[in-house]
Structure formats: C-alpha cells, structure tokens
C-alpha cells in the first residue's frame, strides 16, 4: 500500500519540484527585483530632481552675478554722457540808449563738493544760444563767445573764445519759409528762431587735483538779442567707451559672457578642489609616511655606523656608508659618538662588509 501511494505521489512530487516550485520562485524573484528597482528608480529620480534644482539655482546665481558685475563695471567705467546747465546772462542797462551797456555774462555753478567730470575723459563744451531772426541780429554779423573754467578756489584752469553768427538765409528764402510756416507761427507752435551752438572746448580734460566747479560765460556783443542760453558738456567717447556707448548690446553680451567664463572657471576649480580634498589628504599622508620611513632608515643606518659589531641587513646600508661617510671635525668627536677611534673604524669596515655578505 505504501509503495502504491509512493508511486502515485511521484508524478505530483516531480511536477511540484521541477515545474511549479521553480515557476513560483521565479515569479517571486521577478516581483522582488521589480519592486526593488522601482524603489531605486524613485530614489534615483528624487536625487536627479534635487541635483537639477541645485544646478538651476547655482546657474541662476552665476548668471545674476555676471550681469551685476557688468552693470557695476558699466556705471563705474562709463561717465555721464551729457551735462546741461542753464546760463542766466546779466548785463548793465543804459539810460541813453535802449539795450545793454555791457557784454552779457553769467556764472554757471557745475558742482559744489564732488567732482562732476571724470578724470581722463575728454569733453566737448559748447554754448547754445537761441536767437530770433530779428533785423538787429541780422545786421549784427559775427560776435565772440568766451568761456572760463575755474576750480573751487576760483583759479583759472582754462580759457577760450570762439566766433559765431546767425545762419545766413536770403530774403526770398525767409519770405517763403514765413509763408509756409505762417499757420504754425500764428498758433505759436513754431517761432522764427535759430539755435547757434558755439563749441568753446573741443577736447577738455579735467584735473583730478583741481577739478572744475565753475564756468564763466561772456558774449562780447552789446547789440545781440537772444531768448535763452544753455551750457552743454558732452563726453567725447573713444576706444572701449565708444564701443560700449554705440554698441551696447554687443558690449553687454561680450562683457557678461566674459564674466560667466571667469565665474564658471573659479567655481569649477573650487568644486574640483573640494571634491578631491580626500584624495589630496591621502596623498599628503603617503608622502609624510614615506618621508618618515626614509628618516627612520637613515637613523638606523647612522646608528649602525656608530656600533662596530652591528650586523647589517643588506648591502644597501653598507653602500650608504661607503657613498656618504660621516664628516667629523676631529678625532674627539668620533670617539665621543662611537667609542672607537677613526683608525679602528677603518680597520673594522672590511669586517662589517663580510658580516653583511654572510
């Protein structure tokens, strides 16, 4: 009965042992592997997202640093393009005739404490006169405009005079222009005036020790008629300033790119140094161990040379003694260190070599 039961159960045991159990084990292992890989994938994705966020934050900081450095350099290196000051002309009146009895002149205050003009930067200084096309100004012809540059102590730094006059237009041209522009002239939109720019300094450079703070303007004509006068100080750019002013987008791209390259280089070198600090520390430790081992061997060799009966390990120690003998000032030092005289050490040297070779 037991044999029959065993025979009948044998196929089921083989089926369970060779088919069902391997399939179940394989399925269970596959499920465990998939679950582990899923967890590892979640962890890996989280780490990737964190690294990407840190990288984006660092990139944003680097870009803003590059932009800020260029803006700071621009406002430090580039001066103000233009300075405009109103000029309030003054003169003495006459009782006998209508009009001024002296040349119109004015004092223009540029600054009180700080330096207005950048040192080393040339400036164009001009006086703009708004004059009506009156009969008196047309008969006036040429006149002189003078300017004096003075420092805080009212000391004269520079002086110049230039000639000027109204732009000539014939009587027919003025008549046609008046007829065409008459509606605008009637409603006050346009006036019959001319702006006369007089450039008194074409390339003026300020002094750092004695900066200019005041400008004195004088029009050397008593018959002149004008509406207003303004002083214009315009920077005359050359070189890098000229490129930065006339091509701001190109210069900004190059400047920000150079700053990015510099900051990225410094950041990568810092990161490389920080990441390799362990390796560098291990390298230093190995160097120190080698140096300590070398010092220990030298100490052993030196101590062995001072003892006549010492047995050397190999020929290398003897060769060290032969190549680099100890230097002593006199026989007393030798006897004090080894207990033997120099002649005895020389006699014992062959014995030391035989002992080492044996």
């Amino acid at each position: 009965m037991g044999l029959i039961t065993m025979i009948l159960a044998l196929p089921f045991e083989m089926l369970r042992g060779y088919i069902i159990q391997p399939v179940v084990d394989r399925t269970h292992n596959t499920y465990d592997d998939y679950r582990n890989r899923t967890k590892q994938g979640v962890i890996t994705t989280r780490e990737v997202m964190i690294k990407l966020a840190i990288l984006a934050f660092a990139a944003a900081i680097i870009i803003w640093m590059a932009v800020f450095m260029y803006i700071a350099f621009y406002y430090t290196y580039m001066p103000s393009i233009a300075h405009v000051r109103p000029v309030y002309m003054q003169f003495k009146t006459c009782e006998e005739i209508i009009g001024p009895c002296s040349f119109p002149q004015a004092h223009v205050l540029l600054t009180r404490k700080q330096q207005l003009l950048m040192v080393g930067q040339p400036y164009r200084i001009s006086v703009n006169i708004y004059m009506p096309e009156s009969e008196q100004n047309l008969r006036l012809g040429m006149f002189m405009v003078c300017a004096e540059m003075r420092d805080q102590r009212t000391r004269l730094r520079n002086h110049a005079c230039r000639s000027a006059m109204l732009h000539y237009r014939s009587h027919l041209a003025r008549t046609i222009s008046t007829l065409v522009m008459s509606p605008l002239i009637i409603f006050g939109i346009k006036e019959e005036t001319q702006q006369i720019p007089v450039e008194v300094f074409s390339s003026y450079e300020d002094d750092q020790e004695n900066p200019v703070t005041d400008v004195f303007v004088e029009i050397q004509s008593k018959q002149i008629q004008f509406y207003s006068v303004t002083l214009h100080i315009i920077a005359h750019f050359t070189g890098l300033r000229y490129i930065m002013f006339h091509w701001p987008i190109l210069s900004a791209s190059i400047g920000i790119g150079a700053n990015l390259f510099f900051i990225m280089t410094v950041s990568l070198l810092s990161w490389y140094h920080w990441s390799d600090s362990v390796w560098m520390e291990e390298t230093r430790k190995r160097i120190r161990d080698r140096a300590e081992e070398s010092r220990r061997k030298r100490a052993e060799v030196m101590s062995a040379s001072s003892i006549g009966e010492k047995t050397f390990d190999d020929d290398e120690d003897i060769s060290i003694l032969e190549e680099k003998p100890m230097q002593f000032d006199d026989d007393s030092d030798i006897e004090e260190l080894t207990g033997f005289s120099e002649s005895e050490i020389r006699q014992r040297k062959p014995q030391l070599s035989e002992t080492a070779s044996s």
Side-chain angles (χ1 to χ4, degrees):
M1 188 67 181
L3 181 61
I4 297 174
T5 304
M6 185 180 66
I7 294 172
L8 293 176
L10 182 61
F12 296 100
E13 291 291 336
M14 294 178 62
L15 179 64
R16 186 178 66 84
Y18 292 98
I19 297 176
I20 298 177
Q21 188 65 34
V23 171
V24 172
D25 294 340
R26 180 65 178 173
T27 304
H28 186 267
N29 293 333
T30 303
Y31 173 74
D32 291 341
D33 183 61
Y34 177 76
R35 185 178 61 181
N36 294 331
R37 283 189 298 173
T38 303
K39 291 181 179 180
Q40 186 67 25
V42 172
I43 296 174
T44 305
T45 304
R46 185 182 302 174
E47 292 179 354
V48 169
M49 294 299 294
I50 293 174
K51 291 180 179 179
L52 289 176
I54 295 174
L55 182 62
F57 181 72
I61 291 178
I62 291 174
I63 292 173
W64 277 111
M65 285 180 62
V67 174
F68 176 77
M69 288 174 62
Y70 178 78
I71 293 174
F73 171 75
Y74 183 88
Y75 282 98
T76 303
Y77 184 70
M78 291 291 292
S80 299
I81 300 173
H83 303 278
V84 181
R85 297 289 188 274
V87 180
Y88 302 105
M89 307 300 295
Q90 297 180 357
F91 55 86
K92 295 181 180 179
T93 58
C94 294
E95 298 179 357
E96 294 81 5
I97 59 175
I98 299 174
C101 283
S102 63
F103 294 150
Q105 56 184 0
H107 169 223
V108 181
L109 179 63
L110 297 179
T111 181
R112 293 185 181 274
K113 295 181 180 180
Q114 62 182 0
Q115 189 170 358
L116 181 67
L117 306 181
M118 181 176 287
V119 178
Q121 170 63 43
Y123 289 88
R124 292 177 178 174
I125 302 176
S126 61
V127 179
N128 289 5
I129 307 173
Y130 296 88
M131 301 174 58
E133 294 181 341
S134 60
E135 295 296 332
Q136 183 173 344
N137 283 336
L138 292 175
R139 293 193 302 267
L140 177 62
M142 299 182 66
F143 57 91
M144 298 294 293
V145 179
C146 299
E148 294 181 356
M149 312 294 288
R150 296 183 179 271
D151 57 10
Q152 192 173 6
R153 299 180 181 179
T154 67
R155 291 180 298 183
L156 181 64
R157 308 306 306 173
N158 210 333
H159 173 79
C161 292
R162 298 291 184 269
S163 60
M165 66 174 294
L166 280 175
H167 296 286
Y168 174 77
R169 291 195 305 170
S170 64
H171 180 71
L172 180 60
R174 291 199 305 273
T175 303
I176 295 174
S177 176
T178 303
L179 291 176
V180 173
M181 297 295 177
S182 58
L184 300 178
I185 294 174
I186 292 172
F187 289 102
I189 299 176
K190 183 175 176 58
E191 295 182 351
E192 296 179 285
T193 61
Q194 290 188 19
Q195 179 181 352
I196 310 299
V198 184
E199 188 178 283
V200 290
F201 297 100
S202 59
S203 181
Y204 180 81
E205 294 186 9
D206 201 6
D207 188 6
Q208 185 175 5
E209 297 180 357
N210 300 301
V212 172
T213 58
D214 302 270
V215 180
F216 292 87
V217 180
E218 183 181 47
I219 302 176
Q220 296 181 353
S221 177
K222 297 180 181 179
Q223 288 78 30
I224 188 172
Q225 295 177 344
F226 53 83
Y227 288 128
S228 62
V229 180
T230 55
L231 178 68
H232 293 255
I233 303 176
I234 302 174
H236 178 57
F237 295 135
T238 57
L240 181 60
R241 290 192 176 101
Y242 182 85
I243 297 174
M244 294 178 66
F245 177 73
H246 289 87
W247 290 281
I249 298 177
L250 177 62
S251 60
S253 301
I254 296 175
I256 294 174
N259 292 335
L260 281 174
F261 176 77
F262 174 75
I263 296 173
M264 288 293 295
T265 303
V266 174
S267 301
L268 290 176
L269 290 176
S270 301
W271 176 79
Y272 179 78
H273 176 73
W274 176 73
S275 62
D276 288 352
S277 59
V278 177
W279 175 80
M280 294 177 67
E281 186 64 28
E282 292 178 354
T283 304
R284 295 193 189 98
K285 185 177 179 181
R286 287 197 297 268
I287 293 173
R288 287 195 297 267
D289 293 343
R290 290 178 182 176
E292 185 66 26
E293 183 68 19
S294 178
R295 287 195 296 268
R296 186 179 61 80
K297 287 184 178 181
R298 286 198 299 268
E300 291 178 356
V301 172
M302 295 300 294
S303 61
S305 64
S306 63
I307 302 173
E309 301 298 332
K310 178 177 174 59
T311 301
F312 289 87
D313 297 334
D314 50 16
D315 296 338
E316 181 180 358
D317 297 335
I318 300 175
S319 62
I320 293 174
L321 290 175
E322 294 177 350
E323 292 176 359
K324 298 182 179 179
M326 298 178 62
Q327 301 295 330
F328 298 95
D329 295 335
D330 50 20
D331 297 338
S332 60
D333 296 337
I334 298 174
E335 294 178 359
E336 182 180 355
L337 180 61
T338 62
F340 301 99
S341 64
E342 185 177 0
S343 59
E344 293 177 353
I345 291 177
R346 291 178 180 175
Q347 293 175 0
R348 292 175 179 271
K349 188 174 182 180
Q351 299 176 2
L352 296 177
S353 301
E354 293 177 0
T355 304
S357 61
S358 63

